Amino acid sequence: MTGIRLTAPAPGWAIDADVVVVGSGVAGLTAALRCAAAGLDTVVVTKARLDDGSTRWAQGGIAAALGEGDTPEQHLDDTLVAGAGLCDEEAVRTLVTEGPDAVRRLIETGAHFDTTDGGAIALTREGGHHRRRIAHAGGDATGAEISRALVEAVRAAALHTIENALVLDLLTDAEGRTAGVSLHVMGEGQHDGVGAVRAPSVVLATGGMGQVFSATTNPSVSTGDGVALALRAGAEVSDLEFVQFHPTVLFLGADSEGQQPLVSEAVRGEGAHLVDGDGVRFMVGQHELAELAPRDIVAKGITRRMHEKGAEHMYLDARHFGAAMWEQRFPTILAACRAHGIDPVTEPVPVAPAAHYASGGVRTDLRGRTTVPGLYACGEVACTGVHGANRLASNSLLEGLVFAERIAADIAETRPSRTEPVAAPDGASPDGGGPVALPAPEARTAIQRTMSRGAGVLRSAASLAAAAEELEALHREAAGADGTGGPKAVVPGVDAWEVANLLLVSRVLVAAARDREETRGCHWREDRPDRDDAHGRRHLVVRLAPDRTPVVHRTETAAFPPVRPSD
C-alpha cells in the first residue's frame, strides 16, 4: 500500500454492503446485477446519473461469433492480429468463447438488437473483422439500448444506487485488504458530501480517461478516476501507453476541445470510403482491408495523408448510401452531422482522429482480480490482456460483459467477510505517503493540451520528454516544490479531485510511452517507426511509489505475471 490518498474531508456518513460497484456502464451494471442475483448486498456508485456513462455513447455495436459460419476461433484470430503481438491469448479465448452466451443473457435481460426480416440478429462488419459479427441496436445507438436495458433491470431489482458521486479512494483494513471506498456525493439524494461505502469487495468499472486529451469521444466524466484510485491504493496498471485514437471523429475545427461526435466504424463497415480533399481513396493499397483495417492503421493512414496534404482533416464519403439508408441505419450520426451544418447525404464528412479508448488500465487476471486483495476491475478501466496494443472494434462492450460476469462469480464463490477500514493518517508520512496536494482546477486545460501535443497520435522522444517536464512542473507546483513557497491553497472539491486524477494518469501514461521505444499498435513513435519484437513484445507494468513517482517495470515475456504471488 502506498498510503497516498486525495486531500478530502473525513467521511461524514457510511453504509455497509457486501460489494460496491463503481460505475454504471455495461461492465458495472452487469457485475452489480449478477452480484445481487447471488444474494450479495450490492451498492452501485456512479459519477453522474445511472445512464450517463460511456456505454450509452457506443454507436457501432457488440462483437460476438453469432452468425452462421462464424466461430470463436475466427474472432480470436482477428483480435490477436489487431492486438499487435501483446494480447493474452487465454484472455482472448475466454472473451470469444463466453461472449456469444453473454450476449444472449444480455438479450434475456431486456436488450433489443436489430434483426433481419427473418428474425435473426442483424450483423455488420467493422475494422479488423473478417466476418460480419457486430450486433447493433437502433441502427447506431447500440450503447444507448444496452444502457437502457441494464438500468431498467437495476431499478427493477431495487438495487441501492448512489448517483452523482465521485469515488475518491480505496479503504483498506489493517491487513491491506479492501474495505470499501470513500466518495463525495454532489448534493443530491439520500447522502451528501464525503462519505464511505464499507465493503470487502470493490469493483471498479469507472470507464476510460479520454479527458486527459483536448479532443476525445469520451464524455466529460471520463477523467481516469478508477485508474488513479487504483494507483494510489498500490495496484499495478499496464499497457497505459496504448491509447486508441478513433480514426473518424467529426472534425469541428483545429481548436475544438472536449467531447467530439463520433462517426462510427460501422459507416465504413457498410461501404463508406475515406478520401482526401481531391477525392482520392488513400487507404486502398495500404492494407488488405483498406478502410476496414484495424483502427491504429487507419488512424495512421489518415494522419500521414493530412501531413502530406498539409490538411487538418480528411473526408468520409458515404453519399452513395442515399437518404433512406442514412436515416434508417445511422440516424444518430446523421443528426449529429446536420447539427454541425454537414449533410452526409449530399457531401463528404470531414473527419480526423481523436482520443477514444484506453486499451490498458488496472491489471487484472481472468477473474477480474487486481494486485490489491478485494479490488476488482472490469470494462475500460481494466487491463485484462484482451486488447493488447490495439483494441479490435466492438470488443469493448463484450469485454465488459464477459469479465463483469466472471467477477460476480468470483465474489459469490469467495464471499469475503467485512472488515474494519483503518483511518488514513492526517499528514504526509516520512516515506511520502499521505494526502495529495491538489492542483488548481484551471490546470485541467494545461494537462489536456500538453497530452494532445506530446502524447497524441504521433509521439517521439522529444515530444514525450517535453510532455513529461510540463506535467512534472504542474505536479511540483501543486506540491509546492517549485520554489513558490509551499502548496497552493486549493479547496478540495470535484474539479480539483478530477484534475488530480487527470494529472496522475497523464504522468503514468507518459512514463510508459517514453519507455516503449518502438511503434506498436496504437502507440506510434515517429522516431522509432518499426516494431521491435525482440524487446517490445513485453508489457509495461507501472505502480506508484510512496514518493508519487511512477515506477515502470517491463515483463520478461508477452505474458502477464500472476496478480497474486501464490497463483
Side-chain angles (χ1 to χ4, degrees), residues 296-314:
D296 62 311
I297 293 171
V298 179
K300 290 171 189 174
I302 290 173
T303 304
R304 283 195 191 100
R305 197 66 159 193
M306 285 163 54
H307 285 187
E308 290 169 5
K309 293 287 188 180
E312 294 181 324
H313 60 82
M314 290 288 108

Side-chain angles (χ1 to χ4, degrees), residues 15-48:
I15 59 175
D16 292 317
D18 296 322
V19 185
V20 55
V21 178
V22 187
S24 60
V26 63
L29 295 188
T30 299
L33 286 166
R34 297 292 182 270
C35 284
L40 295 161
D41 183 6
T42 305
V43 173
V44 177
V45 174
T46 187
K47 194 171 178 181

Side-chain angles (χ1 to χ4, degrees), residues 246-329:
H246 198 288
T248 53
V249 176
L250 186 62
F251 181 76
L252 301 180
D255 297 326
S256 60
E257 296 181 336
Q259 186 178 9
Q260 313 284 300
L262 179 66
V263 182
S264 170
E265 200 152 302
V267 179
R268 282 175 280 137
E270 296 291 356
H273 303 143
L274 281 167
V275 298
D276 60 21
D278 298 321
V280 176
R281 284 183 64 189
F282 55 88
M283 285 304 299
V284 175
Q286 291 199 37
H287 189 276
E288 61 164 338
L289 295 175
E291 284 92 352
L292 284 178
R295 287 180 177 174
D296 62 311
I297 293 171
V298 179
K300 290 171 189 174
I302 290 173
T303 304
R304 283 195 191 100
R305 197 66 159 193
M306 285 163 54
H307 285 187
E308 290 169 5
K309 293 287 188 180
E312 294 181 324
H313 60 82
M314 290 288 108
Y315 293 93
L316 189 64
D317 191 352
R319 290 175 290 180
H320 55 285
F321 284 6
M325 180 172 175
W326 267 110
E327 290 164 1
Q328 294 167 16
R329 180 68 179 85

Side-chain angles (χ1 to χ4, degrees), residues 436-455:
V436 171
L438 299 174
E442 54 266 28
R444 181 177 186 136
T445 300
I447 294 167
Q448 292 170 330
R449 290 177 179 174
T450 291
M451 291 297 289
S452 293
R453 185 169 54 246

Side-chain angles (χ1 to χ4, degrees), residues 345-418:
V345 177
T346 60
E347 60 187 314
V349 178
V351 293
H356 181 58
Y357 190 87
S359 292
V362 185
R363 188 167 80 82
T364 75
D365 63 10
L366 296 183
R367 289 183 276 176
R369 303 183 305 171
T370 74
T371 50
V372 174
L375 179 65
Y376 296 80
C378 55
E380 191 174 353
V381 72
C383 181
T384 62
V386 160
H387 304 309
N390 180 53
R391 175 177 67 92
L392 181 65
S394 288
N395 268 356
S396 52
L397 292 175
L398 190 72
E399 184 201 30
L401 199 59
V402 167
F403 285 89
E405 291 188 340
R406 289 185 142 251
I407 286 172
D410 191 72
I411 296 173
E413 179 185 334
T414 56
R415 292 183 182 266
S417 301
R418 297 176 190 172

Side-chain angles (χ1 to χ4, degrees), residues 48-322:
R49 308 298 292 181
L50 272 181
D51 60 355
D52 276 345
S54 294
T55 290
R56 76 181 181 96
W57 296 99
Q59 294 174 345
I62 185 166
L66 296 164
E68 185 177 350
D70 197 6
T71 65
E73 199 69 27
Q74 293 176 67
H75 190 181
L76 180 142
D77 289 344
D78 285 345
T79 301
L80 295 180
V81 169
L86 277 186
C87 294
D88 181 293
E89 187 166 339
E90 187 179 1
V92 178
R93 194 171 296 280
T94 298
L95 177 84
V96 299
T97 54
E98 297 183 9
D101 283 343
V103 172
R104 294 182 185 103
R105 283 189 289 274
L106 181 61
I107 294 170
E108 291 170 2
T109 302
H112 301 293
F113 291 96
D114 295 342
T115 57
T116 64
D117 292 340
I121 296 175
L123 301 172
T124 189
R125 276 183 68 195
E126 290 187 1
H129 293 273
H130 283 79
R131 283 193 173 270
R132 298 178 76 90
R133 66 168 67 96
I134 316 301
H136 50 83
D140 57 359
T142 310
E145 170 58 18
I146 291 173
S147 179
R148 179 206 60 78
L150 291 173
V151 167
E152 284 190 8
V154 163
R155 287 176 174 152
L159 264 66
H160 188 161
T161 61
I162 304 176
E163 296 179 301
N164 302 298
L166 172 66
V167 68
L168 300 176
D169 282 303
L170 191 73
L171 304 177
T172 54
D173 63 17
E175 304 299 319
R177 275 196 55 87
T178 292
V181 292
S182 59
L183 64 156
H184 173 78
V185 183
M186 294 172 255
E188 291 188 27
Q190 184 178 354
H191 306 289
D192 191 12
V194 175
V197 180
R198 298 181 297 213
S201 298
V202 171
V203 182
L204 293 180
T206 51
M209 54 188 189
Q211 289 291 326
V212 301
F213 296 97
S214 295
T216 177
T217 63
N218 288 194
S220 60
V221 295
S222 298
T223 50
D225 307 323
V227 171
L229 174 149
L231 282 163
R232 288 192 297 269
E236 293 178 349
V237 303
S238 188
D239 298 356
L240 225 59
E241 68 271 30
F242 297 118
V243 177
Q244 188 176 83
F245 285 76
H246 198 288
T248 53
V249 176
L250 186 62
F251 181 76
L252 301 180
D255 297 326
S256 60
E257 296 181 336
Q259 186 178 9
Q260 313 284 300
L262 179 66
V263 182
S264 170
E265 200 152 302
V267 179
R268 282 175 280 137
E270 296 291 356
H273 303 143
L274 281 167
V275 298
D276 60 21
D278 298 321
V280 176
R281 284 183 64 189
F282 55 88
M283 285 304 299
V284 175
Q286 291 199 37
H287 189 276
E288 61 164 338
L289 295 175
E291 284 92 352
L292 284 178
R295 287 180 177 174
D296 62 311
I297 293 171
V298 179
K300 290 171 189 174
I302 290 173
T303 304
R304 283 195 191 100
R305 197 66 159 193
M306 285 163 54
H307 285 187
E308 290 169 5
K309 293 287 188 180
E312 294 181 324
H313 60 82
M314 290 288 108
Y315 293 93
L316 189 64
D317 191 352
R319 290 175 290 180
H320 55 285
F321 284 6

Side-chain angles (χ1 to χ4, degrees), residues 462-486:
S463 77
L464 291 166
E469 178 52 39
E470 291 169 21
L471 294 171
E472 288 308 309
L474 291 170
H475 176 64
R476 291 193 301 270
E477 180 183 351
D482 59 349
T484 57

